Amino acid sequence: MEAGGLEWLLVPMQQLVSWGAAGAMVFGGVVPYIPQYRDIRRTQNAEGFSTYVCLVLLVANILRILFWFGRRFESPLLWQSIIMIITMLLMLKLCTEVRVSNELNIKRRSFAAADSKDEEIKAPPKRSYLDFDLNYFWHWSKFTDYVQCVLTFTGVTGYITYLWLDSSLFVETLGFLAVFTEAMLGVPQLYRNYQNRSTEGMSVKMVLMWTSGDTFKTVYFILNQAPFQFSICGLLQVFVDIAILFQVYLYSSYPQKPVSHTAHPASTKAL
């Protein structure tokens, strides 16, 4: 009787823990960006945040969703990718609006086509259908340009995945690329901090949440026997997070003179 009563209590408790873990996986990944988003809105300055982190997460989660069609993993991981894509688009929108409002340069950079009268006021109006410039990649003047790029990437990779979906080698490679790209999430911020010899403008709360979230996520992958690519790259991601936290300690304890370099849009990153 006592054993039966204990079992009656343990089953719903286990179910609650399972739901809690799934909910943490779905929404936990976006929590670190809340303080960074609020900081950018409050200060109207996005210089300390690298938009290339948004690029990394968008690519990683699009590839992960495509991987799901070839190898069905747990649905919380799928929903996590969808929520993360929406979050990164919101971050990009804010960073683009803030950056453009603070820039004195009125020259417009776009992903696809642009009217040259928007770029050079004195130049005669002329339509260019290939305004893509690698030097200004991911540093465009309008949020719609980022959306066009994301949709183009999704369309191309989606079509390739559809053609090769029957190949187990392709599917496994796709899964590895998805999680490896995500594991490189902190690298743009790591490099930006190194360039600036400072972590000013970067939300330390965000990085602490990255570290705790990535640790939880890696343990979740291992315990739930997720595809091995997830576990290996999760460990790599935790290592990068720890390296950024070391930079916080290093540059706060031993301030260094910033390296002088010519300001260039391509060097500006946003997480």
Side-chain angles (χ1 to χ4, degrees):
M1 183 73 177
E2 183 179 348
L6 188 60
E7 184 179 351
W8 175 84
L9 180 63
L10 285 176
V11 170
M13 286 295 292
Q14 290 174 346
Q15 190 66 48
L16 284 174
V17 171
S18 176
W19 288 344
M25 281 301 302
V26 173
F27 297 103
V30 305
V31 172
Y33 298 96
I34 296 176
Q36 184 72 73
Y37 186 92
R38 294 178 64 183
D39 285 348
I40 294 174
R41 287 202 59 158
R42 178 176 52 83
T43 62
Q44 288 298 294
N45 186 345
E47 288 300 312
F49 180 75
S50 175
T51 50
Y52 283 105
V53 174
C54 297
L55 172 62
V56 169
L57 279 174
L58 285 168
V59 169
N61 285 282
I62 289 170
L63 293 179
R64 186 195 286 185
I65 290 173
L66 295 176
F67 177 52
W68 182 85
F69 287 99
R71 183 174 176 183
R72 302 296 173 91
F73 46 80
E74 288 193 325
S75 57
L77 298 179
L78 177 65
W79 281 106
Q80 180 198 44
S81 293
I82 296 172
I83 298 297
M84 184 60 76
I85 288 172
I86 295 172
T87 302
M88 288 303 101
L89 290 175
L90 290 174
M91 287 293 296
L92 273 176
K93 187 175 187 298
L94 175 64
C95 290
T96 304
E97 291 173 351
V98 168
R99 189 188 72 243
V100 171
S101 66
N102 292 336
E103 280 183 349
L104 298 178
N105 184 5
I106 61 173
K107 189 168 185 177
R108 178 171 187 261
R109 296 292 176 179
S110 64
F111 170 67
D115 196 330
S116 63
K117 67 183 179 182
D118 292 332
E119 301 178 356
E120 300 288 353
I121 296 177
K122 294 182 180 180
K126 169 174 89 168
R127 193 73 177 173
S128 170
Y129 289 95
L130 189 59
D131 191 47
F132 183 80
D133 186 344
L134 273 178
N135 293 325
Y136 290 88
F137 177 77
W138 210 249
H139 196 82
W140 301 307
S141 306
K142 288 187 177 180
F143 173 65
T144 52
D145 293 308
Y146 294 95
V147 175
Q148 289 175 12
C149 181
V150 170
L151 290 177
T152 300
F153 176 78
T154 303
V156 171
T157 53
Y159 181 67
I160 294 173
T161 301
Y162 173 76
L163 294 178
W164 291 87
L165 201 57
D166 294 333
S167 169
S168 59
L169 177 62
F170 174 83
V171 171
E172 293 300 326
T173 302
L174 183 65
F176 174 77
L177 288 175
V179 291
F180 181 76
T181 303
E182 185 174 356
M184 295 295 101
L185 166 64
V187 173
Q189 190 68 47
L190 187 73
Y191 181 65
R192 181 171 182 79
N193 295 341
Y194 171 76
Q195 279 187 316
N196 295 340
R197 298 293 193 272
S198 170
T199 56
E200 185 179 356
M202 181 195 75
S203 173
V204 179
K205 290 180 182 177
M206 178 187 69
V207 182
L208 287 171
M209 291 180 182
W210 273 0
T211 308
S212 58
D214 292 338
T215 302
F216 169 80
K217 182 172 61 177
T218 303
V219 173
Y220 181 91
F221 290 157
I222 295 172
L223 294 180
N224 287 274
Q225 298 181 336
F228 75 95
Q229 300 101 319
F230 286 60
S231 301
I232 294 174
C233 293
L235 290 171
L236 178 59
Q237 199 166 354
V238 172
F239 175 78
V240 174
D241 295 340
I242 293 173
I244 295 177
L245 289 176
F246 176 73
Q247 285 182 322
V248 173
Y249 165 76
L250 180 66
Y251 296 142
S252 60
S253 301
Y254 307 97
Q256 303 179 39
K257 184 179 179 181
V259 177
S260 60
H261 58 278
T262 305
H264 192 282
S267 67
T268 304
K269 296 184 196 183
L271 288 176

